Amino acid sequence: MKDAISAVIAKYDAQGKYLDTGAIDQLKAYFATGELRVRSAAAISANAQSIIKEAAAKALLYSSLTRTGGNMYYARRFAACIRDMEYFLRYATFAMVAGDTSLLDEYVLSGLKETYTSLGVPIDATVKGINALREVVAGVVGPEAAGEASKYFEHLARGLQ
Ligand code: CYC
């Protein structure tokens, strides 16, 4: 797992180079958005339950998924799906604080598509769920932070496709 700073250091260390303007720009961007990312993480954490509820209602509930034979039917699979939505929200928030997506690759996406495929969990519906999380989170953190927060949900959605 990396954050924005350790990612820059690892890259320049591997090349045996001093930090150049590219590296400095990356570090500046990380610090410039720091306050915004931490404030957004606090807002997401304080509203996590309602974010999950609203995103699930937007993208997953009242659909064939929750009817007999659907992948969210009945209690065990419904609970597994809501838990997965919680994982996506929690790890996207961690990655936003770190300012780096590698945490998502390591902790969430590694082997996930294969697991879902073997269990018959629909990928397209999962991506819809992740997109709904992105939209609801954008409303919670406000327009200034929405772009920053969105990156991590987009990375999750892309990683499943
Ligand atoms: C199952 N989701 C699973 C499983 C894993 C994950 C490993 C199989 C084991 C289990 O049932 O717990 C996901 N586990 C994770 C992730 C992490 C992890 C991401 C990283 C922290 O440790 N079904 C739908 C919806 C979708 C869904 C579209 C919710 C968005 O129709 C999810 N995931 C879902 C369901 C199952 C599942 C229903 C149970 C499938 C089954 O057992 O039939």
Side-chain angles (χ1 to χ4, degrees):
M1 182 208 123
K2 287 198 184 73
D3 52 47
I5 298 175
S6 52
V8 168
I9 292 173
K11 185 172 159 205
Y12 283 75
D13 183 35
Q15 298 173 1
K17 287 200 319 200
Y18 286 100
L19 301 174
D20 58 18
T21 49
I24 298 297
D25 285 348
Q26 272 174 273
L27 293 172
K28 276 187 184 161
Y30 175 72
F31 290 116
T33 56
E35 161 72 18
L36 197 62
R37 285 181 289 105
V38 171
R39 214 174 337 119
S40 302
I44 294 170
S45 304
N47 294 287
Q49 288 318 310
S50 63
I51 293 170
I52 301 286
K53 235 176 158 172
E54 200 180 326
K58 256 175 111 127
L60 305 171
L61 309 184
Y62 325 112
S63 70
S64 57
L65 290 172
T66 50
R67 285 195 280 273
T68 318
N71 194 262
M72 288 177 72
Y73 185 84
Y74 186 57
R76 184 186 66 82
R77 282 200 295 264
F78 188 97
C81 181
I82 298 300
R83 179 210 56 196
D84 287 7
M85 292 284 280
E86 282 171 352
Y87 285 152
F88 298 142
L89 181 63
R90 194 149 50 85
Y91 283 98
T93 308
F94 290 160
M96 178 181 65
V97 170
D100 191 89
T101 53
S102 68
L103 184 155
L104 299 175
D105 298 331
E106 271 179 57
Y107 296 166
V108 183
L109 289 170
S110 171
L112 186 62
K113 194 170 177 179
E114 294 74 12
T115 304
Y116 276 175
T117 304
S118 73
L119 288 170
V121 173
I123 304 280
D124 55 341
T126 305
V127 169
K128 272 192 198 152
I130 292 169
N131 286 334
L133 284 172
R134 175 177 49 74
E135 289 165 15
V136 176
V137 162
V140 167
V141 300
E144 204 195 343
E148 194 57 43
S150 292
K151 281 185 202 167
Y152 303 94
F153 296 101
E154 282 160 10
H155 188 85
L156 283 173
R158 245 194 331 269
L160 277 174
Q161 279 159 346

